[in-house]
Amino acid sequence: GDVYKRQTQSTWVINQLIMKHIVNTSWEGKMKFDSVVSGHHIILDATNEVGGENAGPRPKELMLSALAGCTGMDVVSILKKMKVEPCLLYTSPSPRDLSTSRMPSSA
């Protein structure tokens, strides 16, 4: 939880924010790994050309997916606070891929 340190009678500041995220990753052989995140299994693997079996996304792709998902969740949260319901949200690390996106519709 939040740990607070009292500086003055009227001012509270956050001294430390403790956040625990536990990810367990195990090697499954060759280039395949199984990560357990919040009870969800995510398989990571490499392509056949580099010794994997292509059983899951590459780590870099997964990191970009997480970044896009985080950005999308922030945008949806902000739009909902503005009472605007998004009709379609498409995030991409590449601006050239944004041609399929549409602006949110007003609620």
Side-chain angles (χ1 to χ4, degrees):
D2 294 340
V3 179
Y4 294 95
K5 178 180 179 184
R6 183 150 177 115
Q7 285 191 330
T8 66
Q9 281 187 314
S10 61
T11 305
W12 288 81
V13 295
I14 297 175
N15 180 33
Q16 190 176 14
L17 181 63
I18 301 170
M19 296 178 68
K20 293 184 179 180
H21 298 279
I22 298 172
V23 176
N24 293 310
T25 300
S26 59
W27 180 50
E28 301 293 313
K30 294 190 178 183
M31 298 294 282
K32 184 177 175 182
F33 289 83
D34 180 7
S35 286
V36 181
V37 182
S38 300
H40 302 281
H41 287 264
I42 301 171
I43 301 296
L44 296 98
D45 203 358
T47 61
N48 296 331
E49 294 81 26
V50 294
E53 297 175 334
N54 201 28
R58 267 44 78 215
K60 196 182 303 183
E61 296 168 340
L62 193 57
M63 186 177 73
L64 290 171
S65 175
L67 179 60
C70 184
T71 301
M73 288 179 188
D74 285 345
V75 169
V76 168
S77 176
I78 291 167
L79 289 172
K80 288 187 179 242
K81 287 177 185 173
M82 295 171 58
K83 304 215 184 304
V84 174
E85 191 65 31
C87 59
L88 173 68
L89 179 64
Y90 177 78
T91 60
S92 172
S94 174
R96 69 177 175 267
D97 293 334
L98 294 177
S99 60
T100 59
S101 66
R102 293 188 310 181
M103 293 300 294
S105 62
S106 297

